[in-house]
Amino acid sequence: MSDSPLLEIRDVSKTFGSVISLSGVSTTVRAGQVTCVLGDNGAGKSTLIKILSGVHQPDGGELLIDGNPVRLGSPREALDAGIATVYQDLAMVPLMAIWRNFFLGSEPTKGWGPFRRFDRATAIETTRRELADMGIDIRDPDQPVGTLSGGERQSVAIARAVHFGARLLILDEPTSALGVKQAGVVLRYIARARDRGLGVVFITHNPHHAYPVGDRFLLLNRGKSLGDFAKSELSLAELTRMMAGGAELDQLAHELDRNPAGKATS
């Protein structure tokens, strides 16, 4: 049995004109593990997502799936390779039922030729079963997806990707607009996808969301890697400090101190 990672990113670079969006970025994603990609706005996270999902091709470096070099020329090629991307906007229609959104663009049919029609019963039953298998408790598959909470919508999107055969799940800031409780809902389903053997790339700027579910951490800053670490190699405090800027944070704390060193207190 091969020990190759499900996905390996080797020295990937991407420029847009004179702007260096990514430079020499490397990491791995293994089946049954979560690789967290962390960075602030402008760090290069979106560019990395688009390279992995086939929207952009890297200018340098390479991607390997199961140890074999690949070039993903389009989102369709990425999907065919088992890579599913769940974007922040989720590509859902709020007024349509959950089951309609679950099969949006891939509707099951029955019959043949001119008698071919949408198989509503199969779609509803499959949606109910797949959500239950992921531990997602939806009251009624007929309810509009817009009535779900943010965390529930993210969970439906994750279950949909799993159902359609994703081996690698890329999640674009799934907890960014959620409160503590709803973020916890999404993290729980990320862990369930991981436990079902998927490789997960979790894009986030929040180390407190990343650390509980992450197995590996890639930190980006202005397109460059600050390091690629296994969980055993750093603590949450160290991850948070690296994200915050370390020395810059110390300098800011000094500037904001109400009682600088040496000043007498009353």
Side-chain angles (χ1 to χ4, degrees):
M1 183 176 174
S2 173
D3 192 42
S4 298
L6 176 57
L7 171 71
E8 186 172 0
I9 302 167
R10 287 186 184 170
D11 246 359
V12 162
S13 299
K14 181 68 179 177
T15 59
F16 296 95
S18 61
V19 177
I20 300 173
S21 189
L22 287 176
S23 178
V25 171
S26 300
T27 192
T28 58
V29 186
R30 294 187 177 273
Q33 291 190 352
V34 179
T35 293
C36 300
V37 179
L38 297 104
D40 288 328
N41 292 337
K45 303 191 303 297
S46 294
T47 300
L48 183 60
I49 291 172
K50 290 177 180 177
I51 288 174
L52 296 181
S53 60
V55 176
H56 295 322
Q57 286 70 53
D59 297 323
E62 61 180 349
L63 303 178
L64 295 88
I65 296 179
D66 297 324
N68 302 310
V70 296
R71 187 169 182 83
L72 303 173
S74 68
R76 171 50 58 185
E77 289 183 17
L79 281 170
D80 291 343
I83 300 174
T85 303
V86 178
Y87 292 101
Q88 289 183 47
D89 60 14
L90 299 179
M92 290 186 177
V93 182
L95 295 180
M96 288 175 61
I98 296 169
W99 61 271
R100 290 297 302 267
N101 275 279
F102 194 91
F103 282 98
L104 195 61
S106 302
E107 291 81 0
T109 59
K110 60 182 178 180
W112 182 83
F115 303 103
R116 195 177 186 87
R117 61 194 185 280
F118 184 25
D119 190 348
R120 183 177 187 274
T122 295
I124 292 175
E125 177 56 32
T126 302
T127 299
R128 191 190 304 274
R129 183 181 66 250
E130 290 295 321
L131 294 179
D133 286 349
M134 284 288 289
I136 302 169
D137 182 20
I138 295 297
R139 295 169 293 281
D140 179 8
D142 261 318
Q143 70 186 95
V145 79
T147 64
L148 300 178
S149 69
E152 288 173 329
R153 287 196 297 272
Q154 286 283 351
S155 303
V156 170
I158 292 170
R160 180 173 65 183
V162 172
H163 171 72
F164 284 106
R167 299 174 61 216
L168 177 68
L169 190 59
I170 302 171
L171 303 174
D172 175 21
E173 298 271 10
T175 61
S176 64
L178 303 180
V180 174
K181 184 176 180 181
Q182 289 301 319
V185 169
V186 175
L187 295 177
R188 186 176 297 116
Y189 295 124
I190 291 174
R192 286 185 176 160
R194 172 201 67 196
D195 294 344
R196 290 184 64 163
L198 275 73
V200 180
V201 177
F202 177 20
I203 311 289
T204 182
H205 63 272
N206 192 324
H208 295 279
H209 293 170
Y211 199 79
V213 296
D215 298 288
R216 187 156 207 91
F217 304 91
L218 169 65
L219 280 78
L220 297 178
N221 182 32
R222 297 183 181 179
K224 295 184 178 179
S225 173
L226 297 179
D228 178 38
F229 306 94
K231 192 167 192 172
S232 60
E233 295 176 317
L234 80 171
S235 65
L236 173 58
E238 291 167 330
L239 178 62
T240 303
R241 183 175 175 79
M242 292 180 71
M243 278 287 296
E248 291 89 344
L249 189 63
D250 289 342
Q251 179 62 33
L252 178 61
H254 178 73
E255 292 175 9
L256 298 178
D257 191 351
R258 287 180 177 272
N259 182 35
K263 183 177 179 179
T265 58
S266 56

